[in-house]
Amino acid sequence: MSSHIPTRRVTRTTRATALKENEVANVRPTRASTRSKLLGLGSNTAGTTGVIGGVTRATAASRAKATAVADSRADIHGGKRKREALGEVAIASNKPTVLAAKGKEKEKETYDGVMVKGKGVVTRQPLRAVTKPQQTTSATFSRKELVHVSEENKNVIVVHDDNAMVVDPPHNIALPKIAVRRSTVIKESQIATSHRQEHHRGSSRSVLRPTEDDLEDDQPVHKKRRTSSVPPSEDPQVLEEAQALAEEEAHNARLAAEMEAFANEEEADPESSGWDIFEYLKRVELTTMPNPNYMESQKELAWKMRGILTDWLIQVHVRFRLLPETLFLCVNVIDRFLSARVVSLAKLQLVGVTCMFIAAKFEEVVAPSVSHFLMCADSSYTESEILQAERYVLKTLDYNLSYPNPVHYLRRVSKADDYNVKVRTLAKYLLEIGVLEWRLIAAPPSLMAAASIWLARLALGFEQWTPNLAHYSSYKESALIPTANLMLNYILKPIRHESFYKKYAGKRYFKSSIFMRDWALERWTENTQVDLAKELLRIKAEIKLQRETEEANAALHDSDV
């Protein structure tokens, strides 16, 4: 009984191996299970020896493939199910291979590359070559990864599934094509040609550069829709310059037209009634006018010293908060006294303090005392010296203090201007320039007031000198231009009198000194001698055009709101 058992096992193993080799002749060889080795019959049994010998000569890939079959405990039907589970099916081919089963095995037939049990024959297709055409068996393919290369389209298919097999696609189904640029294909062909040329030439190399068409094909196409009527060939900068030039030409044309209109405009002539109080004042002001060239008779003084003295008096005037009339009367008394007497440089400040003291007692309701003025003069003089100088100045002027103050004329002209506060404040600043600028000494107070109002209105954008203004000022526009020109030239000079400039740079006077200086420097450079008579028409035309533009913008804004 002990000898019978090994014989049964050997016969069963041999039978299973033979069946497997008959059925899977073109797929892969198998190896026997390890149980057959335990019997120790590899040298005694011929059938077993042949099977085991075939297994030992199989490759590593075929051994791994047949492991699952050997573990089926030599069950015939179990081996068949295992092969079907592993995907060992027939492969469709143009030339089918018919394999006949041995023994009592059932026939099988293939439908669309799948093995089906039933009546018929088994059709299989041998695997195609991977790299180059050569005869290879199924045992040369690895179980881990299969690669199939088609020589026609050079597509590589990689299967990573351990249990999957590579199946050739049907011949009537075409693989999807990848969209490739024509330029890319041309480049690849050119590069291949260059490689072949380099191979034949040896060390010589030729570099192929892509053509302009290829470069254009490589660039992304961004086609924008044209929404403008401007031709694409023109430069935007050129268009802006042309538009700016056209606008400038149109502005110049309008400016020339406005200048011609102002030139042809009739000048307003003041009407004189002959009985007005200001007519009397105009006659009186001629008797109180100083000598405009009195500095020629002074040995130690100069016009610059007069400006320094008056600038200090403005500071004293602001400290005591005196009326504007007091300052103008003080300067008039100084000029008239210096026109009659020669004064040394050491006594110039004493003359200034004394004249301010006289004007304050004449104009102010409550005038500062002598002690207050001594404090301002740093006690350089004594009280008796100031009182003695007061008597001497009044005696020289013959006690004549009936000076028509320019502030009175300024208030009268402001009535014709509807008492515009900004115009009158700016005119006060321009009028006070006559206190510092010696060139304005020859101008009468009435002319100074009228020229100040006219220049202030021009700076604020009021270019018209109406008949009403001409009547109340008693001056035509042409008579005001020379005096206003002197005021404008003083503004264009560098700042020399700090007290005067700071006084009108405050909010109380609407920063008149800053405004007038900025307005003048926008049109002319600093320290320029302007001829206002030649520039007047252009200034008026610019003011009118600017006002029309502002009105149009304001109307457009109101319509939008």
Side-chain angles (χ1 to χ4, degrees), residues 410 420-433 451-462 487 491 500 504 508-517 519:
L410 186 64
N420 192 323
V421 179
K422 289 185 177 181
V423 173
R424 187 170 61 179
T425 305
L426 192 58
K428 286 181 180 179
Y429 163 73
L430 296 172
L431 185 62
E432 203 163 318
I433 292 175
S452 300
I453 289 287
W454 178 81
L455 186 57
R457 286 175 53 84
L458 189 68
L460 292 173
F462 304 103
M487 296 177 181
I491 294 171
F500 170 66
Y504 285 94
R508 179 183 177 183
Y509 296 99
F510 299 105
K511 300 181 180 180
S512 301
S513 59
I514 299 175
F515 173 79
M516 281 302 303
R517 185 168 178 81
W519 178 83

Side-chain angles (χ1 to χ4, degrees), residues 54-74:
V55 171
T56 57
R57 289 190 299 269
T59 62
S62 61
R63 292 175 184 176
K65 188 71 178 180
T67 303
V69 180
D71 295 337
S72 62
R73 297 182 180 181

Side-chain angles (χ1 to χ4, degrees), residues 370-426:
V370 180
S371 60
H372 291 103
F373 287 103
L374 287 176
M375 292 174 59
C376 293
D378 295 332
S379 300
S380 301
Y381 311 101
T382 61
E383 184 176 352
S384 60
E385 290 178 347
I386 294 177
L387 295 176
Q388 184 179 358
E390 179 186 5
R391 292 192 296 269
Y392 184 73
V393 170
L394 291 174
K395 184 179 179 180
T396 303
L397 299 180
D398 199 13
Y399 294 91
N400 184 11
L401 298 178
S402 58
Y403 169 67
N405 207 288
V407 180
H408 302 327
Y409 293 102
L410 186 64
R411 294 193 182 99
R412 174 180 168 86
V413 181
S414 296
K415 181 180 180 181
D417 196 30
D418 295 331
Y419 294 104
N420 192 323
V421 179
K422 289 185 177 181
V423 173
R424 187 170 61 179
T425 305
L426 192 58

Side-chain angles (χ1 to χ4, degrees), residues 189-252:
S189 62
Q190 290 178 350
I191 293 171
T193 305
S194 64
H195 287 321
R196 286 195 297 269
Q197 291 178 357
E198 291 177 358
H199 178 72
H200 290 295
R201 293 179 182 178
S203 60
S204 61
R205 296 182 179 180
S206 61
V207 181
L208 297 179
R209 296 182 179 180
T211 61
E212 295 181 358
D213 296 337
D214 298 336
L215 295 177
E216 291 180 359
D217 293 340
D218 293 339
Q219 296 295 331
V221 179
H222 300 285
K223 186 175 181 181
K224 295 183 179 180
R225 181 181 177 184
R226 283 183 56 192
T227 59
S228 177
S229 60
V230 180
S233 60
E234 297 187 8
D235 191 4
Q237 185 176 2
V238 176
L239 294 177
E240 291 180 359
E241 292 179 357
Q243 185 177 2
L245 183 60
E247 292 178 357
E248 185 178 358
E249 291 179 354
H251 177 73
N252 293 336

Side-chain angles (χ1 to χ4, degrees), residues 232-462:
S233 60
E234 297 187 8
D235 191 4
Q237 185 176 2
V238 176
L239 294 177
E240 291 180 359
E241 292 179 357
Q243 185 177 2
L245 183 60
E247 292 178 357
E248 185 178 358
E249 291 179 354
H251 177 73
N252 293 336
R254 293 181 59 190
L255 190 63
E258 294 295 338
M259 290 173 63
E260 185 178 359
F262 280 112
N264 297 330
E265 188 178 6
E266 293 184 0
E267 189 176 9
D269 191 10
E271 298 178 359
S272 178
S273 59
W275 54 268
D276 193 9
I277 185 63
F278 282 92
E279 291 293 334
Y280 169 76
L281 291 177
K282 287 185 68 175
R283 292 194 298 267
V284 171
E285 69 183 7
L286 296 177
T287 62
T288 58
M289 291 289 295
N291 182 13
N293 299 319
Y294 70 85
M295 198 60 68
E296 295 177 359
S297 60
Q298 299 293 332
K299 297 179 181 179
E300 299 181 6
L301 303 181
W303 291 116
K304 183 178 180 181
M305 299 176 186
R306 177 188 179 271
I308 295 173
L309 176 63
T310 53
D311 187 57
W312 176 74
L313 290 175
I314 289 173
Q315 186 177 359
V316 174
H317 180 268
V318 173
R319 181 177 298 180
F320 290 133
R321 298 181 181 179
L322 303 176
L323 296 175
E325 293 85 349
T326 304
L327 178 63
F328 287 103
L329 178 59
C330 172
V331 175
N332 180 258
V333 172
I334 292 172
D335 292 334
R336 288 165 62 190
F337 177 77
L338 293 177
S339 299
R341 295 291 186 267
V342 177
V343 179
S344 63
L345 181 59
K347 298 297 183 178
L348 182 61
Q349 187 177 12
L350 179 59
V351 173
V353 173
T354 302
C355 293
M356 181 66 73
F357 178 60
I358 295 171
K361 288 198 296 183
F362 186 84
E363 295 288 349
E364 299 292 335
V365 177
V366 179
S369 62
V370 180
S371 60
H372 291 103
F373 287 103
L374 287 176
M375 292 174 59
C376 293
D378 295 332
S379 300
S380 301
Y381 311 101
T382 61
E383 184 176 352
S384 60
E385 290 178 347
I386 294 177
L387 295 176
Q388 184 179 358
E390 179 186 5
R391 292 192 296 269
Y392 184 73
V393 170
L394 291 174
K395 184 179 179 180
T396 303
L397 299 180
D398 199 13
Y399 294 91
N400 184 11
L401 298 178
S402 58
Y403 169 67
N405 207 288
V407 180
H408 302 327
Y409 293 102
L410 186 64
R411 294 193 182 99
R412 174 180 168 86
V413 181
S414 296
K415 181 180 180 181
D417 196 30
D418 295 331
Y419 294 104
N420 192 323
V421 179
K422 289 185 177 181
V423 173
R424 187 170 61 179
T425 305
L426 192 58
K428 286 181 180 179
Y429 163 73
L430 296 172
L431 185 62
E432 203 163 318
I433 292 175
V435 175
L436 302 163
E437 181 59 48
W438 63 271
R439 296 177 181 86
L440 294 173
I441 294 176
S446 59
L447 182 60
M448 286 287 297
S452 300
I453 289 287
W454 178 81
L455 186 57
R457 286 175 53 84
L458 189 68
L460 292 173
F462 304 103

Side-chain angles (χ1 to χ4, degrees), residues 9-56:
R9 289 183 179 178
V10 170
T11 305
R12 186 176 300 174
T13 304
T14 307
R15 181 181 178 183
T17 305
L19 290 174
K20 177 173 180 61
E21 290 179 352
N22 292 332
E23 293 176 357
V24 197
N26 294 330
V27 182
R28 297 175 189 271
T30 60
R31 68 176 182 176
S33 63
T34 56
R35 293 184 181 183
S36 61
K37 292 182 180 182
L38 298 175
L39 297 176
L41 299 177
S43 60
N44 296 329
T45 307
T48 305
T49 304
V51 172
I52 297 174
V55 171
T56 57

